[in-house]
Amino acid sequence: LGSVLQNSMVLSAAIFITLIGLIVYLHFVKVDQESLLIIGSLGIQVTSSYASGKESTTFIEMSQVKDVVINEAIHMQKVIYYLCILIRDPQDPQGVSEVVPLFQSSKPRLDCLVEVYKSCQEILDQREMAPHSS
């Protein structure tokens, strides 16, 4: 009888730990949707919505943005493409201090990335054309 009770407790603990792990995964890891909002005069907002409903938002001021590029990497004998924001180095205006990858969970295809890239470049080009106020 003691062995059955002990096995039951071990099984209950394993189920409990599994449920806690699933909740943590859904709340902090499983990204359901990613979005990118660019406003030329303000900046870039990146939002990740998790399966639990939690949202994580990052805002990058336009003055910090050097460029938006499509980068490539080799992963598991496969070339993958990803969109990233290059952050201007405050010490060196020609340099890059940080690379912020976008859409890391959804991993869109290259043709989708190209469309987003073109839209980003249109907005960034308008920013370059606008007269700078002092």
Side-chain angles (χ1 to χ4, degrees):
L1 182 65
S3 173
V4 171
L5 185 60
Q6 186 177 7
N7 287 345
S8 176
M9 287 177 55
V10 168
L11 183 59
S12 296
I15 290 171
F16 180 74
I17 290 170
T18 302
L19 286 175
I20 295 296
L22 181 61
I23 290 169
V24 168
Y25 173 76
L26 288 176
H27 192 69
F28 294 108
V29 179
K30 175 77 170 90
V31 174
D32 196 36
Q33 180 179 334
E34 295 175 293
S35 66
L36 178 70
L37 173 65
I38 300 182
I39 301 173
S41 59
L42 292 176
I44 299 175
Q45 177 177 301
V46 181
T47 304
S48 297
S49 300
Y50 293 85
S52 66
K54 175 183 165 238
E55 283 192 352
S56 169
T57 301
T58 303
F59 182 78
I60 302 168
E61 289 182 32
M62 197 53 82
S63 62
Q64 296 179 311
V65 176
K66 181 170 177 65
D67 204 356
V68 175
V69 298
I70 294 177
N71 206 354
E72 62 185 17
I74 298 174
H75 178 70
M76 303 291 282
Q77 302 173 342
K78 184 169 110 176
V79 177
I80 58 170
Y81 299 93
Y82 58 97
L83 197 66
C84 53
I85 301 170
L86 303 180
I87 304 296
R88 190 181 313 276
D89 187 346
Q91 312 302 325
D92 175 17
Q94 299 304 314
V96 173
S97 67
E98 188 179 350
V99 176
V100 179
L102 304 172
F103 308 122
Q104 289 296 286
S105 295
S106 54
K107 296 180 178 67
R109 298 183 325 260
L110 179 58
D111 58 337
C112 296
L113 288 177
V114 168
E115 290 303 315
V116 175
Y117 169 79
K118 286 178 182 177
S119 298
C120 291
Q121 289 302 321
E122 283 178 22
I123 294 168
L124 292 176
D125 288 346
Q126 289 172 2
R127 173 191 73 165
E128 307 260 323
M129 302 279 186
H132 296 286
S133 59
S134 45

